[in-house]
Amino acid sequence: MKFSIKVVVGVLWIVITCFTFGGSYIIDTNFQMLLSEQRNISKNITETIYNLLKNDTKGYNSKTLGHINNTYKDFVIQDIADSININVEGKKINFSIISKTNIDLDRWSGGSLNSEWLDKLEINKRAYTFEKVGEKNYIKTIRPFVFLENVYYIFIYKEITHIFKNQEQQYEVLIKTTILLSFISVMMSVVFSKVLLHQVVELNKVTEEMGEGNIQKRVKVNGNDELAELARNFNKMADSLKNYVEMLEEESQNKENFVSAFSHEVKTPLTAIIGYADMLRTNPNDINRIQKGAEYIFSEGKRLEQLSKRLLQIMAIKNQELKFVEVQIKMWIESISDNLKYYLNQRNIELEVNVENDFLVIEPELVNMVIVNIVDNAQKASKDGEKIFINGKIEGQYYTLKIKDRGIGIDSKILSKIKEPFYKADPSRVRNKNGAGLGLSLSQIIIEKHDAKMNIYSEINIGTTVELIFNRRKSI
């Protein structure tokens, strides 16, 4: 069953239940109040009749009229009763006086009275009963009293058909009202459920589309209620899902690129090695070819060895826990630069170092590898006689190392890709210098292990700057 149908059925059930029980309670309460009012009216009438009889019979007593028989007493009391005229709401009240010895005097009762019921009544007490005769309803009120030692009953037989008719009419109105309100409530709940569930229906449609692969779809958010909040949270979840899917796709693409690049990197030197080995095998007496082939096989073998080492380093660093120590930056950078200067002097490249002293928590051997790799890339991109700069500066809670060259630079279109494994900004230049295209990829992993950042800025024919940003508040 759809939720909208549940809403309609629920509203209908509430309306019918509330109006049925509530209306019935009100009608029955009003009915009982009217009956109680009629009992009070009958009580007051019987008391009025009793008081009038009492006043009119003061001259009679048992001492003076004790010898009179019961028939005469009945006649006297009946004669007095006939002289009493009582009107209520413009209508004459008919009543009778019933003698306990002659209950057939009740000429308005519609039949004889139950003598056992009369015997149970106490003097000066009243009894009530309701009776239906044909289509009419009556209230019977009886009050006993004593006259000349005989027991008599004031008997009122009052029609109250209008009260029962009124109750029937009220129930008819209740039924009609309940039917009308049920119809209105169904119409209103249908409209209301459509308005209320519009967001849910749209959310369901978007969910189906996303399930079919359209992860770009989003729910339109209207208002600030709980459903709008649900839609906003769904969109946030969809954004997170989209980012996660894109991340998985990127990882999958990176793995595919890695395998493709790795296959290419291995295949090229292996093809050359096989070719030169075949040449040596088929020309064993050509000394020049043997020398050239051996040198190329050695060179390509060293490049494969370098590639293998880099891959092992990447796998090891990704999975190992680093042991951090606190180092004094100025002294540490100067020791690295001393080792690099001899290497750079071969091309007459000057290394200029200017760092502010501070203490950082790092893994010195790995960060050393990063700096050496960046400086090596800088010298490969620089001409003989150029300068390479290493600057270090405290910037708030961070310490920034900048390695800058004035080399050929990197095109901005490929700048974002140079940290990828096997990517080479200048493949011919790198291959000639035994590069594997893994240096910056390895450096990026090392920097991330330090919760640091590596930013690269470059312009063609102006140079490249690599920025390493470390957190000074990092603890061991």
Side-chain angles (χ1 to χ4, degrees):
M1 183 183 293
K2 289 188 176 181
F3 185 74
S4 57
I5 297 177
K6 291 181 180 179
V7 170
V8 173
V9 173
V11 171
L12 183 61
W13 182 83
I14 291 173
V15 169
I16 293 175
T17 301
C18 291
F19 271 88
T20 301
F21 286 97
S24 298
Y25 174 78
I26 294 172
I27 292 172
D28 288 341
T29 301
N30 181 65
F31 178 72
Q32 293 299 327
M33 288 175 61
L34 292 175
L35 291 182
S36 177
E37 182 181 349
Q38 291 299 320
R39 284 195 294 268
N40 290 331
I41 291 173
S42 297
K43 169 189 172 184
N44 293 333
I45 292 172
T46 56
E47 288 301 310
T48 300
I49 294 171
Y50 170 73
N51 290 328
L52 291 173
L53 289 172
K54 186 178 180 181
N55 288 333
D56 290 344
T57 58
K58 282 183 179 180
Y60 299 92
N61 57 70
S62 58
K63 291 181 179 180
T64 58
L65 300 174
H67 61 283
I68 298 176
N69 59 31
N70 290 333
T71 302
Y72 184 75
K73 292 178 183 179
D74 293 344
F75 175 78
V76 171
I77 199 68
Q78 189 64 49
D79 184 60
I80 295 173
D82 289 341
S83 66
I84 297 174
N85 186 16
I86 298 178
N87 292 283
V88 176
E89 298 176 353
K91 293 182 179 180
K92 183 179 179 181
I93 299 300
N94 293 319
F95 69 94
S96 62
I97 305 298
I98 304 171
S99 171
K100 190 174 183 179
T101 59
N102 186 14
I103 60 175
D104 291 333
L105 287 174
D106 179 19
R107 51 183 192 273
W108 292 286
S109 64
S112 61
L113 295 174
N114 190 331
S115 59
E116 294 182 1
W117 184 50
L118 296 177
D119 290 337
K120 294 179 181 178
L121 286 175
E122 298 180 9
I123 301 301
N124 297 326
K125 299 293 183 180
R126 284 164 298 279
Y128 306 92
T129 184
F130 297 97
E131 188 175 90
K132 185 173 183 179
V133 180
E135 297 295 325
K136 295 185 178 182
N137 299 88
Y138 298 90
I139 178 173
K140 286 183 178 181
T141 307
I142 300 177
R143 187 197 191 284
F145 69 96
V146 177
F147 173 68
L148 297 178
E149 297 180 352
N150 282 1
V151 178
Y152 293 88
Y153 300 95
I154 301 172
F155 175 68
I156 297 176
Y157 196 62
K158 188 173 185 296
E159 184 182 351
I160 54 172
T161 304
H162 66 284
I163 295 177
F164 287 87
K165 289 289 185 182
N166 183 58
Q167 185 191 37
E168 291 178 2
Q169 292 173 356
Q170 288 177 341
Y171 271 115
E172 290 177 1
V173 172
L174 175 63
I175 293 172
K176 293 177 181 179
T177 304
T178 302
I179 293 173
L180 177 62
L181 288 177
S182 298
F183 177 76
I184 294 173
S185 64
V186 167
M187 295 298 101
M188 292 182 65
S189 59
V190 168
V191 175
F192 179 72
S193 63
K194 286 185 177 180
V195 174
L196 179 67
L197 298 176
H198 173 72
Q199 196 94 59
V200 177
V201 172
E202 185 180 355
L203 180 63
N204 187 49
K205 290 181 180 178
V206 172
T207 304
E208 289 179 355
E209 290 190 34
M210 290 187 68
E212 293 172 356
N214 184 10
I215 61 174
Q216 305 292 336
K217 194 70 175 178
R218 295 294 180 272
V219 181
K220 293 181 181 179
V221 180
N222 299 314
N224 295 307
D225 55 11
E226 289 80 0
L227 290 176
E229 186 66 23
L230 174 63
R232 275 190 286 271
N233 290 333
F234 178 85
N235 287 341
K236 289 179 182 178
M237 181 197 70
D239 290 337
S240 299
L241 178 62
K242 176 177 172 291
N243 293 335
Y244 183 70
V245 170
E246 289 177 350
M247 182 187 70
L248 291 178
E249 290 176 348
E250 184 179 356
E251 287 183 359
S252 177
Q253 185 63 43
N254 288 340
K255 288 179 180 179
E256 185 177 337
N257 293 341
F258 180 87
V259 171
S260 176
F262 179 73
S263 299
H264 176 74
E265 289 295 324
V266 173
K267 181 181 179 181
T268 302
L270 283 178
T271 301
I273 290 172
I274 292 170
Y276 277 96
D278 184 62
M279 182 189 70
L280 294 176
R281 183 174 60 85
T282 57
N283 298 281
N285 299 320
D286 192 334
I287 301 300
N288 290 330
R289 286 191 175 185
I290 291 173
Q291 182 66 28
K292 184 179 180 180
E295 288 177 358
Y296 198 89
I297 289 172
F298 177 80
S299 174
E300 292 300 309
K302 292 294 290 184
R303 199 162 72 83
L304 284 175
E305 181 186 34
Q306 182 70 11
L307 174 63
S308 176
K309 285 181 179 179
R310 289 292 191 184
L311 286 173
L312 289 174
Q313 286 175 334
I314 289 175
M315 296 302 296
I317 292 171
K318 276 187 175 181
N319 299 320
Q320 75 179 35
E321 290 291 330
L322 303 186
K323 294 182 179 180
F324 297 101
V325 296
E326 188 176 68
V327 298
Q328 187 179 3
I329 295 298
K330 189 175 181 64
M331 184 182 300
W332 177 66
I333 291 293
E334 287 176 351
S335 67
I336 296 174
S337 63
D338 290 340
N339 294 330
L340 289 171
K341 282 179 181 179
Y342 174 78
Y343 166 67
L344 296 173
N345 285 339
Q346 296 177 8
R347 295 187 55 208
N348 198 27
I349 293 176
E350 182 182 349
L351 182 62
E352 186 175 301
V353 179
N354 182 18
V355 296
E356 294 181 3
N357 195 26
D358 197 12
F359 291 90
L360 286 179
V361 175
I362 59 174
E363 209 293 350
E365 291 185 7
L366 292 179
V367 180
N368 186 337
M369 185 188 304
V370 172
I371 294 173
V372 169
N373 180 69
I374 296 172
V375 172
D376 182 53
N377 288 338
Q379 69 87 18
K380 290 175 182 177
S382 301
K383 297 178 181 179
D384 292 349
E386 291 284 355
K387 277 188 177 183
I388 296 175
F389 305 88
I390 299 179
N391 297 317
K393 187 177 181 181
I394 298 171
E395 297 178 341
Q397 74 177 70
Y398 300 101
Y399 191 92
T400 303
L401 272 175
K402 292 182 179 180
I403 303 170
K404 182 178 179 181
D405 65 61
R406 295 172 178 171
I408 61 174
I410 305 171
D411 192 337
S412 59
K413 294 180 180 179
I414 63 174
L415 194 59
S416 61
K417 301 179 180 180
I418 60 175
K419 297 178 186 178
E420 297 176 5
F422 300 111
Y423 191 85
K424 300 167 187 177
D426 185 352
S428 61
R429 173 176 60 81
V430 176
R431 185 175 299 280
N432 291 335
K433 298 186 180 182
N434 294 326
L438 292 171
L440 283 178
S441 177
L442 176 60
S443 298
Q444 178 67 23
I445 293 171
I446 293 172
I447 291 301
E448 289 176 352
K449 280 281 189 175
H450 284 76
D451 295 325
K453 293 181 180 179
M454 181 170 70
N455 301 320
I456 302 175
Y457 310 95
S458 186
E459 292 184 49
I460 296 295
N461 297 323
I462 294 178
T464 301
T465 300
V466 180
E467 189 177 70
L468 306 178
I469 303 173
F470 297 91
N471 191 341
R472 297 173 61 217
R473 296 177 183 175
K474 184 178 177 62
S475 58
I476 298 176

